[in-house]
Amino acid sequence: MSWPALASLLVLCLAHSPRASFFRSPFPNADFEPYGSDYFGQPSGRWSNGRLFIDIITQGLGIGMLSPYLKSLGSNFTRGVSFASSGSTAQNSTAVGTNSGGLFTLLVQIDQFREFQDYVLLQKKGVSEKLQMRQHFSNSVYLIETAHNDYIKVAFKTEEFDPIALMVAVISAMRIALQALFDLGARIFLVMNVTPLGCNPSTASNPYRTENRDEYGCKVDYLTLVNMHNDHLVELLSEFRLKYPMAHWILFDAYSIMLDGYHNPSKYGVKYPFRACCGYGGGTYNYDEDIQCGQAGEYINGTYAEATKCEDPSLYIIWDSLHPVESFCHHLAQGVLDGTHLSPYFNVTEKFKMETHAQI
């Protein structure tokens, strides 16, 4: 395994990661058509009609698509690694399927990174080479997207649900994870906030207290929970910034991009901001929890029901239930590549260019 002295991108806990970066249930929807149809021409394990925003980011940085950590054949880790696990959570306790499906929570992914780093360092001979490699890991960018599934799996299902208790637990899990990564030598953190749950088809169509909506039709209870999480995430990063000023603690504000898409869809060429491109049922959301994109059709009361793909995904924000279509993933990716939605501002693109030129 050859490692040049360049910055790498390491991804953890991405909720809709590509195939082979995780163990999971035998038949995930994303392994079936029409997933992946508009870029790969076939399902690629990605929860979209094509690329994810992380794919567009890494391609924009000139490092191609990252190989998943657990893909043993044909992987190239010289410019980055994906430890992401589809369906993963920040907390261990809310990882539905952890025992049966093997979903890797954020802390498990950090353990995998620790093992990976130890293995790479073991290949280096002498103190100088090991120090150089440790510096490589410190120079790398760590992108973390987590917590969506923590909330979607349990939020607002019953009157007993306690949003504050869940948010505190999720933020606490993220604090432990960020500290662990820092202790392992990470110094450049890009931490994505939670997008506006309550506007996407699966949560907006939740029948629980369905009347509780804002002027756009998004569910206020979900938005309140997400904003509470995002405010505490800002405080968490500020806390680490004061404690460890030698590191970069950067917020990726994906929430603002997604919310602007819901509020001003024509700005993004979107015509159906709240509908799923691939779904069943038509109407406002085109979403049915029992008949989802990628699943085989079934007969309901003598009528065959199957989720189908829309004609033009670029007119939509959401592909299935939560995950953006590839065209909207471009807007999310540009928020990172241009630095417009990174706080404090950080020029990721320039960093990779400088490292490459230095190597030449």
Side-chain angles (χ1 to χ4, degrees), residues 31 131 231 236 263 265 316 322 333 340 353:
D31 272 348
L131 287 175
D231 288 345
L236 177 62
H263 288 181
Y316 296 71
L322 169 70
T340 55
K353 284 182 179 178

Side-chain angles (χ1 to χ4, degrees), residues 7-20:
S8 292
L9 184 68
L10 295 97
V11 180
L12 295 101
C13 211
L14 196 69
H16 35 271
S17 58
R19 177 189 308 158

Side-chain angles (χ1 to χ4, degrees), residues 50-250:
R51 292 169 292 178
L52 308 176
F53 73 84
I54 187 61
D55 295 319
I56 298 169
I57 289 172
T58 55
Q59 287 180 329
L61 293 173
I63 59 178
M65 295 186 186
L66 298 185
S67 292
Y69 168 63
L70 293 182
K71 184 181 179 183
S72 58
L73 299 177
S75 290
N76 180 359
F77 297 141
T78 57
R79 297 305 304 274
V81 188
S82 174
F83 294 88
S85 174
S86 179
S88 62
T89 55
Q91 292 187 101
N92 291 341
S93 61
T94 56
V96 175
T98 299
N99 294 326
S100 59
L103 303 179
F104 295 144
T105 61
L106 179 56
L107 284 175
V108 173
Q109 293 174 35
I110 291 174
D111 283 340
Q112 291 173 336
F113 167 67
R114 181 185 291 107
E115 293 174 0
F116 175 78
Q117 182 175 246
D118 288 346
Y119 172 78
V120 172
L121 290 170
L122 191 63
Q123 310 309 306
K124 299 301 173 182
K125 300 177 181 179
V127 175
S128 178
E129 283 192 11
K130 290 183 185 295
L131 287 175
Q132 185 181 17
M133 184 50 58
R134 287 195 179 277
Q135 186 61 45
H136 170 84
F137 281 111
S138 293
N139 285 339
S140 296
V141 177
Y142 296 76
L143 190 151
I144 302 169
E145 183 244 309
T146 190
H148 284 82
N149 287 315
D150 291 84
Y151 296 121
I152 288 176
K153 292 179 187 298
V154 298
F156 306 111
K157 306 296 184 183
T158 67
E159 290 290 345
E160 289 71 37
F161 171 66
D162 187 343
I164 295 178
L166 176 59
M167 181 277 300
V168 169
V170 171
I171 291 295
S172 296
M174 294 184 69
R175 176 183 284 106
I176 293 170
L178 291 174
Q179 181 68 59
L181 271 179
F182 179 86
D183 292 343
L184 288 169
R187 293 297 180 265
I188 306 174
F189 299 83
L190 264 61
V191 186
M192 177 175 155
N193 59 14
V194 174
T195 57
L197 304 178
C199 298
N200 57 285
S202 61
T203 53
S205 61
N206 180 354
Y208 179 77
R209 293 195 298 192
T210 188
E211 74 284 350
N212 188 18
R213 299 181 184 275
D214 66 11
E215 60 184 297
Y216 297 95
C218 301
K219 296 201 70 178
V220 174
D221 45 11
Y222 280 99
L223 291 178
T224 301
L225 173 59
V226 167
N227 279 305
M228 185 167 55
H229 170 94
N230 289 343
D231 288 345
H232 280 77
L233 178 59
V234 169
E235 293 176 5
L236 177 62
L237 293 178
S238 296
E239 172 189 321
F240 275 109
R241 206 170 287 124
L242 289 172
K243 189 176 182 180
Y244 302 116
M246 71 292 291
H248 298 274
W249 305 94
I250 304 154

Side-chain angles (χ1 to χ4, degrees), residues 199 201 204 213 216-217 272-276 281-287 316:
C199 298
R213 299 181 184 275
Y216 297 95
Y272 309 106
F274 302 105
R275 295 187 66 181
T284 303
Y285 307 113
N286 191 37
Y287 176 79
Y316 296 71

